[in-house]
Amino acid sequence: MPYSSTSRREFLRRTLSTTAAAGVAPYFVPSRLFAQEHPSDRLSLGVIGLGSRGFDIGTTLAPFGDVIAACDIDTNHRAKFQSMLVRSGRSPAHGYGDYREVLDRPDVDAVIIATPDHWHVKIAVEAIQAGKDVYCEKPLSLTIDEGRQMIRALEKSDRIMQVGTQQRSMKQFVEAIALVRAGRIGDVKKITIGIDRAPYSEGIPTEAAPSTLDWDKWLGQCPVRDYRFGPKLKKWTAAKSLGDGGEDASNGHQEFRWWYDFSGGKLTDWGAHHIDICQWLLGQNGKDGGVKKVTPVNVEHPVEFDEKGNPKQTDRYNVATKYEFLLEFPNDVQVTVSSDARNGLLVEGTKGRIFVNRGGLEGKPADELKENPLPEDALDEVRGVGHPWDHMADFVHCIRTREKPVSDVWSHHKAVTTGHLAAISGRLNRPIEWDAATETIVGDDVANAMQKREQRKGYEIPEV
């Protein structure tokens, strides 16, 4: 269904009539809210995508602003989100099924995007063009080319955009980078990134999409696919062996991550976090930085692929379930991405090693911080002076100061590109050489073509 535009006048007419009928006073104020312009110093926020991640984010927004618009194409998600707001003593916000109605509201200062991956860049680009600041969940892009589109849109605007790679606001990761920069482990020689196996399913039957869900809109730019759902199909268990995972298998909502139509699997899911920390630590997230070569050492998929890297079976999860990739960077540090390594980053140097994940920072160099602490400004040197440690608070801080956020689009694009390249190399089962300066795959036309994909008519990302 083509996404035709909605006129602002018609939108305002309908919104005013709705608020009047509900006994709610319409609240339209100028969109750039700063302390000197707004007496309560609170932002007016719109949340787009109200599934598990959007719901979680929505519960944390009260200190930073008022959610006045809540959008999801699943009416059940909208109802649950609005009920949560009411239970927490807040206004239920206006509910929408079309994100453009949120972007049309002049009183929405910033939007939180927590949709599935394949919707991120389209909504973010249009939000930027509508004059909104943007917080977008990771991974930012479905393809490498989409990341470039996002950067072009942002560079042509004066908007602030924060990516939801929250590990940049977790002290142990920043401290790990500071330890390395202070020479506490010597010269870095090897990094092992563990990001877990992806789930496996057998063939999932088709059925009608839930009545609450607009499946065609959910698919968006992606090829038309039947909705699939199967209760308690075989999946990888936490013990990493085949068994009855006891969970529903589907190609919608949370399960979208296990289909190349909509995601890159674990490589762009957990990989968006840990590869980002790795490249930040190595200083490879700058303009000229990035991976040089990606080699698939061992990659297992539940389906076969054609010569262009397309899955031959479309009735089951098809992302890599078990894998090991070797990443080569300009500084010759050996980096391995493995589904069987402990989740987190093991960083080995000439003087010692450390391990960091969301559980904390381990290793002798970390233990020695009690007697030999880092300089007081060491963490600021990594993260920047004045940035709040709460990730969403940093976004709000940067809205007001117009600084670049801790998790910016440029560095994130560099990191998630590595995840995309790994997914491409795994699907083609061959090494890929990457020219980071020109953002091209060297000597492989098929792999280079996989940097982008055709977008379904009516759902194209606007040209920038």
Side-chain angles (χ1 to χ4, degrees):
M1 183 195 74
Y3 250 36
S4 59
S5 61
T6 302
S7 75
R8 186 182 303 274
R9 180 178 298 175
E10 173 62 15
F11 166 74
L12 293 177
R13 182 193 66 77
R14 285 189 283 111
T15 301
L16 287 168
S17 63
T18 301
T19 54
V24 179
Y27 178 49
F28 296 119
V29 297
S31 119
R32 299 274 38 90
L33 294 185
F34 295 95
Q36 67 268 29
E37 297 174 0
H38 193 256
S40 68
D41 195 25
R42 290 179 64 79
L43 296 170
S44 293
L45 305 170
V47 182
I48 302 171
L50 307 174
S52 60
R53 190 69 196 117
F55 191 95
D56 290 345
I57 293 174
T59 63
T60 69
L61 291 176
F64 310 113
D66 301 309
V67 178
I68 64 171
C71 177
D72 199 290
I73 56 176
D74 189 325
T75 57
N76 188 43
H77 282 182
R78 290 206 302 272
K80 288 182 177 179
F81 186 85
Q82 290 173 301
S83 295
M84 176 274 293
L85 293 176
V86 172
R87 288 196 307 272
S88 60
R90 292 179 277 174
S91 165
H94 291 290
Y96 302 97
D98 187 333
Y99 71 91
R100 294 165 304 162
E101 293 186 315
V102 177
L103 303 186
D104 276 343
R105 289 188 60 158
D107 57 338
V108 170
D109 301 292
V111 295
I112 314 299
I113 301 173
T115 63
D117 302 356
H118 61 286
W119 270 105
H120 285 175
V121 170
K122 179 172 173 59
I123 297 175
V125 167
E126 293 179 21
I128 292 291
Q129 292 176 337
K132 314 301 182 187
D133 293 320
V134 175
Y135 180 103
C136 184
E137 272 299 286
K138 61 79 204 163
L140 178 61
S141 55
L142 179 64
T143 65
I144 296 171
D145 188 65
E146 282 190 13
R148 289 191 285 262
Q149 288 177 278
M150 188 69 253
I151 287 173
R152 288 197 298 270
L154 198 57
E155 288 180 342
K156 290 183 179 181
S157 77
D158 61 352
R159 298 298 89 201
I160 295 298
M161 187 166 176
Q162 168 93 299
V163 183
T165 42
Q166 295 86 1
Q167 289 182 174
R168 285 188 166 230
S169 295
M170 296 181 183
K171 185 178 179 181
Q172 66 267 35
F173 292 99
V174 179
E175 197 166 50
I177 295 172
L179 270 174
V180 172
R181 291 186 182 179
R184 299 292 178 89
I185 69 169
D187 296 330
V188 178
K189 292 298 182 181
K190 181 179 179 181
I191 299 177
T192 303
I193 301 172
I195 54 176
D196 301 337
R197 295 187 184 187
Y200 161 91
S201 80
E202 296 177 337
I204 305 172
T206 63
E207 65 173 53
S211 59
T212 61
L213 173 65
D214 188 327
W215 179 242
D216 188 78
K217 285 185 180 179
W218 189 94
L219 287 171
Q221 64 161 287
C222 300
V224 175
R225 303 290 190 210
D226 291 328
Y227 179 78
R228 295 183 179 275
F229 182 86
K232 297 184 178 180
L233 297 180
K234 286 184 178 179
K235 301 171 70 174
W236 290 107
T237 66
K240 299 181 180 177
S241 61
L242 272 177
D244 183 353
E247 300 176 10
D248 294 330
S250 173
N251 61 344
H253 286 334
Q254 284 182 251
E255 301 297 289
F256 75 88
R257 293 177 178 86
W258 320 129
W259 305 79
Y260 280 127
D261 277 339
F262 317 121
S263 179
K266 286 285 187 178
L267 294 168
T268 58
D269 183 43
W270 264 109
H273 289 298
H274 289 341
I275 293 174
D276 173 56
I277 297 299
C278 172
Q279 294 190 191
W280 196 14
L281 184 151
L282 294 175
Q284 292 299 316
N285 277 349
K287 182 178 179 181
D288 297 323
V291 71
K292 293 194 305 182
K293 187 176 182 179
V294 179
T295 301
V297 178
N298 177 41
V299 182
E300 296 181 12
H301 282 95
V303 301
E304 295 181 353
F305 295 85
D306 64 21
E307 65 280 359
K308 293 185 177 180
N310 299 311
K312 291 183 178 181
Q313 294 168 284
T314 58
D315 67 341
R316 63 198 63 203
Y317 297 168
N318 54 37
V319 301
T321 53
K322 181 180 179 181
Y323 42 85
E324 181 179 331
F325 294 91
L326 179 63
L327 310 180
E328 297 179 35
F329 288 91
N331 49 13
D332 295 328
V333 175
Q334 179 184 336
V335 178
T336 299
V337 177
S338 172
S339 59
D340 289 348
R342 181 184 175 189
N343 187 288
L345 294 93
L346 175 64
V347 186
E348 301 178 68
T350 54
K351 295 181 180 179
R353 64 182 190 172
I354 54 174
F355 178 84
V356 63
N357 66 9
R358 296 193 181 184
L361 177 61
E362 305 170 8
K364 186 177 178 182
D367 296 338
E368 291 173 346
L369 287 173
K370 296 175 183 178
E371 291 76 33
N372 184 22
L374 291 165
E376 290 185 4
D377 61 349
L379 302 190
D380 284 341
E381 286 289 329
V382 176
R383 202 166 174 271
V385 177
H387 287 276
W389 279 97
D390 183 283
H391 204 61
M392 188 62 69
D394 183 58
F395 174 54
V396 174
H397 165 80
C398 291
I399 287 177
R400 296 200 164 95
T401 64
R402 313 314 288 173
E403 297 174 57
K404 182 186 289 186
V406 165
S407 185
D408 64 277
V409 170
W410 293 268
S411 62
H412 178 79
H413 172 63
K414 285 287 184 180
V416 80
T417 288
T418 302
H420 287 312
L421 291 170
I424 292 170
S425 74
R427 290 164 70 174
L428 296 176
N429 195 30
R430 58 178 179 256
I432 285 178
E433 292 188 32
W434 177 247
D435 185 329
T438 61
E439 295 204 325
T440 54
I441 294 170
V442 179
D444 191 329
D445 292 340
V446 172
N448 230 5
M450 293 173 72
Q451 288 199 58
K452 63 187 301 183
R453 64 176 66 181
E454 184 178 353
Q455 296 161 356
R456 191 156 62 108
K457 187 175 181 180
Y459 294 93
E460 302 94 336
I461 297 170
E463 289 295 328
V464 181

